[in-house]
Amino acid sequence: MSGYEPGVQADRTARHGRSHLTLDIERVLSASARQAIRAEFRFDPRVPLIVCVEFGVEGGPRALWRIGRDLLRQGLRSRSGIGDIQIWPSNPENLEDPENRATAWLQLVSGDMAALFELPIPPLSEWLDHTYELVPAGDELSGVDWDVTTADLLTDRRARSE
């Protein structure tokens, strides 16, 4: 069992304008077994479509996943995602009652491996709201210089074909 103490650590204004949240969560191993996991959620306004999540156990390996910010936000309210990443509230019948919707399930699949995590909704929802203050929904691609991006894509394609 991990030595992590349950809790939440948040740094809303990390260096370079990045935001991160550290949660002590649980991985569901079976109906009666769970493993304490530390999850570090990171948001970089320069890459606003995704949230990077690093999962780790004390003294053990770490795994990095990139999850769509909108997928994560929607999954706190209703089932979201297909395939490798899915998230849904643990008690969707009582979404208006914070006491009964305190957690969400996050399922990650890679090849023939799968992991199910239980996440606390309140701190994650509050943190996600902060990321939308940094980069509002709909503004994620407003800073992209499409001429430069297109040129880079075409240059990269030509380089690979030679």
Side-chain angles (χ1 to χ4, degrees), residues 40-42 51-56 61-67 108:
E40 295 180 18
F41 294 78
R42 298 196 180 278
V51 170
C52 293
V53 186
E54 188 172 53
F55 299 93
R62 301 182 75 71
L64 178 68
W65 280 76
R66 290 173 179 84
I67 301 174
L108 304 175

Side-chain angles (χ1 to χ4, degrees), residues 79-98:
R79 184 172 282 274
S80 181
I82 56 172
D84 295 349
I85 302 171
Q86 296 183 42
I87 184 168
W88 64 97
S90 60
N91 196 346
E93 295 82 29
N94 294 312
L95 290 178
E96 301 305 317
D97 182 1

Side-chain angles (χ1 to χ4, degrees), residues 93-131:
E93 295 82 29
N94 294 312
L95 290 178
E96 301 305 317
D97 182 1
E99 294 290 320
N100 290 322
R101 66 173 187 100
T103 63
W105 301 111
L106 172 64
Q107 180 176 300
L108 304 175
V109 178
S110 179
D112 61 349
M113 302 291 290
L116 180 64
F117 301 95
E118 188 171 18
L119 308 173
I121 289 177
L124 185 53
S125 180
E126 182 181 317
W127 179 80
L128 279 169
D129 288 347
H130 174 66
T131 72

Side-chain angles (χ1 to χ4, degrees), residues 42-45 47-52 66-77 80 87 127-141:
R42 298 196 180 278
F43 174 76
D44 185 343
V47 189
L49 293 172
I50 63 167
V51 170
C52 293
R66 290 173 179 84
I67 301 174
R69 182 172 67 147
D70 289 344
L71 182 147
L72 193 57
R73 184 185 213 187
Q74 179 63 37
L76 299 181
R77 294 170 179 80
S80 181
I87 184 168
W127 179 80
L128 279 169
D129 288 347
H130 174 66
T131 72
Y132 282 96
E133 291 170 9
L134 294 173
V135 180
D139 287 353
E140 292 92 350
L141 300 178

